Amino acid sequence: MNPSFRTTALSRSALAAGALTAVLSLLLVIGGLTANTAAGETGQPAGVLGVIGLFLGGTLLAVGALARRVVPLGERR
């Protein structure tokens, strides 16, 4: 009962996109936290974009994991 190629590609691409988005967003958050406020820099834009990206990345990771788990259940007969 192997899932189809299309299903496997969809779940892997969602997982990969989610992981990439989460890693890049984490870098944005770290960059926002390391802003030099004494020099007049603010890390708020990077931090906000990072948090939004973390939510998006987490959603994509959840969709990829859910697709991997749910789709094979529908193909069993």
Side-chain angles (χ1 to χ4, degrees):
M1 302 294 166
N2 292 332
S4 68
F5 174 75
R6 190 178 305 168
T7 304
T8 304
L10 177 67
S11 66
R12 285 186 184 172
S13 63
L15 284 171
L20 180 66
T21 304
V23 168
L24 293 176
S25 298
L26 193 58
L27 290 175
L28 274 173
V29 169
I30 292 170
L33 291 174
T34 59
N36 187 1
T37 55
E41 296 177 354
T42 176
Q44 186 177 3
V48 170
L49 286 175
V51 169
I52 291 170
L54 281 174
F55 283 122
L56 177 66
T59 302
L60 286 172
L61 283 171
V63 166
L66 191 63
R68 223 173 184 186
R69 191 167 289 248
V70 169
V71 172
L73 295 176
E75 292 179 353
R76 292 183 188 160
R77 294 187 182 196

